[in-house]
Amino acid sequence: MNQNNDLTEGKVSSKLLSFFFPMLFTNLFQQIYSVADTAIVGKGLGDNALGAVGNLSSLSLLIIGFSTGMTGGFAVIFAQNYGLGNISAVRKSIVLSVKLSVAMTIILTITGCILLKPILILMQTDKALISDGLKYGYIILGGLTATVAYNLCSSILRSLGDSKTPAIAIILSSAVNIALDYLFIFICNASVEGAAFATIFAQALSAFICFLKIKHTSNLQFCKENFDRDKEMCLLLLKNGMPMALMNAITALGCMVVQRSVNDYGSRYTSAYSVCSKYLNLFMLPSLTSGFAISAFVSQNYGAGKTKRIRQGIRVCVVIALVSYLLLGSVMVFLPKQLAVFMLNESETISLTSQYLRICGVGLILINLLFVYRNAVQGLGYPFIPMLSGIVEMILRILAIILLLPSIGFQATAYAELIAWIGALLLNIVGFKRYICRINVNTGGQK
């Protein structure tokens, strides 16, 4: 085993942080080009075009989030076998995950294209936004192969402890994405389809870079027996991947209900909610990254039977969550208007966005801790609790938006997030405590 990528040895904080920061840069650049894409669309094509693109965010979370959850579930098996030192099982599981991912991509692409227009109508999308929404959506769905390929390749590398290659891939692809956005929209005068093509090209580039690294990784030199059928391994991959995929899909369904309710109030609400979602994704980035880090860390150490290191790793990631809250939550609370002005033009839309950012900034610690504990439970190989927490999130978010939106207006979208985060966080903390105690009993408390 390559000790440089082995998360089961060495000082816990050093190992985690050296793994965390390249991933943070990876996710940061992903969000940078997402925010840049939004800003270019908003400033170049107007608030309605931005609303059309942003209106698809919940649908994208449903489809792309499903695939991300699936590949993330596969990565738990990669990492556990890697921590155990069973490289043959790592190779075999990767081969099977590729086959499963191909099948999943075909199904999601066809289903998404068929349902795109009916879903936009069902969500009460403003008629002025539907045309651009369809143009953007069909292109993104048509390029889903590139997205899934990157998610799978980066998951493979991270499960083996390599967080640097995905970072390099995203830095390069982000620069290309922003350049193409500017070229297509401001120079070629393309509409939203220009932004969509730029995104797909960038995803394909990042997938290709990660694939090259996998191809030249010594532990991943595949042989004939790695391609043999293995029903048991296939079921194990699905057992871990499907609940995580369903968790993301269920969370997305809740967001779609919120999006539909927001759309009922007109394009200003739609545009404001789109920008709020972009900023929320950006400011919860460090904790999202710590969640990815703790998942790989817990998986490898669970495979190696080192529960003490798992607890130490959790403490490190909780500190990351707290520091992130103090720094970024403060920006959301004290500078919401400045953030809104960066992407929007109309004063009413800016005001709505500012309200949301300030409220969510106060409660950002909830989602920060949720990422840590949810991913830790997944890394232990118990995906049921995270999936159940996704159901809880959906129910609480929908109930909150139905009850609060008519009475307090757009602020209800922010309170709905806080209420959903609280419910999911409590469930995952209880789940982690239960499962880690069970592991201690089974191992006699050693290591």
Side-chain angles (χ1 to χ4, degrees):
M1 188 182 295
N2 184 347
Q3 297 300 314
N4 291 328
N5 296 335
D6 184 6
L7 301 176
T8 65
E9 300 291 342
K11 188 177 179 181
V12 170
S13 58
S14 298
K15 278 287 186 177
L16 258 176
L17 291 175
S18 64
F19 185 62
F20 165 80
F21 280 112
M23 274 203 300
L24 178 61
F25 286 120
T26 302
N27 293 326
L28 177 61
F29 273 89
Q30 279 185 309
Q31 289 302 319
I32 284 175
Y33 80 65
S34 178
V35 171
D37 179 70
T38 302
I40 291 172
V41 170
K43 294 298 184 180
L45 301 176
D47 287 0
N48 274 356
L50 185 149
V53 172
N55 192 54
L56 289 169
S57 60
S58 55
L59 180 59
S60 296
L61 180 60
L62 175 63
I63 295 175
I64 297 176
F66 185 93
S67 67
T68 303
M70 186 72 81
T71 56
F74 296 162
V76 171
I77 304 303
F78 306 154
Q80 287 183 353
N81 284 315
Y82 189 72
L84 188 61
N86 191 345
I87 302 302
S88 177
V90 173
R91 295 177 188 141
K92 181 172 286 189
S93 60
I94 288 174
V95 170
L96 287 171
S97 71
V98 171
K99 295 178 180 179
L100 291 172
S101 295
V102 169
M104 174 185 64
T105 303
I106 294 171
I107 294 171
L108 290 178
T109 300
I110 295 173
T111 304
C113 288
I114 292 173
L115 296 180
L116 178 58
K117 187 172 182 179
I119 288 176
L120 288 177
I121 294 172
L122 183 64
M123 290 169 61
Q124 297 292 314
T125 304
D126 193 297
K127 291 181 179 179
L129 307 181
I130 287 182
S131 178
D132 281 344
L134 289 173
K135 291 177 185 176
Y136 188 86
Y138 284 134
I139 295 170
I140 293 296
L141 288 168
L144 189 60
T145 299
T147 304
V148 174
Y150 170 73
N151 288 336
L152 181 59
C153 290
S154 61
S155 293
I156 292 170
L157 292 171
R158 288 169 181 156
S159 68
L160 306 186
D162 180 3
S163 59
K164 294 180 181 178
T165 301
I168 294 170
I170 287 299
I171 290 172
L172 294 176
S173 64
S174 298
V176 170
N177 192 98
I178 293 171
L180 289 178
D181 271 339
Y182 189 87
L183 173 66
F184 290 150
I185 292 176
F186 287 104
I187 298 178
C188 299
N189 296 318
S191 185
V192 292
E193 60 264 36
F197 279 120
T199 298
I200 294 302
F201 186 87
Q203 287 281 13
L205 177 61
S206 59
F208 180 69
I209 293 170
C210 290
F211 171 76
L212 289 179
K213 176 63 175 180
I214 292 171
K215 185 178 179 182
H216 294 94
T217 298
S218 58
N219 283 333
L220 299 181
Q221 298 304 304
F222 298 92
C223 54
K224 185 178 179 180
E225 53 264 28
N226 298 144
F227 292 84
D228 293 340
R229 292 182 180 180
D230 190 330
K231 184 178 180 181
E232 185 177 346
M233 178 66 77
C234 186
L235 291 175
L236 183 61
L237 287 167
L238 290 174
K239 179 184 175 181
N240 279 270
M242 189 60 71
M244 292 174 67
L246 290 175
M247 180 196 72
N248 286 351
I250 291 166
T251 301
L253 286 174
C255 292
M256 289 175 69
V257 173
V258 175
Q259 184 74 65
R260 184 193 184 284
S261 300
V262 168
N263 290 346
D264 285 339
Y265 287 76
S267 59
R268 286 188 176 87
Y269 269 43
T270 302
S271 297
Y273 190 64
S274 170
V275 170
C276 291
S277 298
K278 292 289 185 183
Y279 273 124
L280 185 58
N281 288 337
L282 179 63
F283 284 109
M284 66 187 186
L285 201 57
S287 293
L288 174 66
T289 306
S290 68
F292 290 149
I294 199 63
S295 179
F297 184 86
V298 168
S299 297
Q300 283 197 20
N301 282 281
Y302 176 76
K306 298 184 177 182
T307 55
K308 183 178 179 181
R309 285 179 66 85
I310 292 174
R311 291 180 179 276
Q312 292 171 340
I314 289 291
R315 287 194 286 269
V316 172
C317 286
V318 167
V319 171
I320 293 174
L322 292 172
V323 172
S324 170
Y325 171 65
L326 292 175
L327 296 177
L328 300 180
S330 298
V331 175
M332 294 176 69
V333 171
F334 296 111
L335 300 173
K337 185 174 181 180
Q338 290 81 348
L339 294 172
V341 169
F342 178 70
M343 291 193 194
L344 295 163
N345 302 306
E346 298 181 11
S347 58
E348 183 179 346
T349 313
I350 290 171
S351 176
L352 294 173
T353 302
S354 300
Q355 295 171 20
Y356 179 104
L357 293 176
R358 187 176 290 110
I359 295 169
C360 283
V362 172
L364 191 66
I365 186 60
L366 299 170
I367 188 68
N368 287 359
L369 293 175
L370 174 58
F371 283 129
V372 174
Y373 282 97
R374 174 182 279 167
N375 281 278
V377 175
Q378 290 171 347
L380 291 173
Y382 296 99
F384 176 75
I385 289 294
M387 183 182 72
L388 183 61
S389 74
I391 297 174
V392 170
E393 266 194 89
M394 178 187 70
I395 294 172
L396 292 176
R397 187 175 282 116
I398 292 173
L399 287 176
I401 206 70
I402 291 174
L403 294 174
L404 297 178
L405 192 59
S407 57
I408 65 174
F410 189 75
Q411 293 182 45
T413 58
Y415 288 119
E417 293 297 326
L418 268 58
I419 292 169
W421 296 342
I422 291 171
L425 173 60
L426 292 175
L427 192 57
N428 280 281
I429 289 177
V430 171
F432 176 78
K433 298 292 185 182
R434 176 187 175 187
Y435 291 131
I436 200 69
C437 288
R438 179 186 297 178
I439 293 169
N440 278 334
V441 170
N442 291 340
T443 60
Q446 69 265 30
K447 297 186 180 181

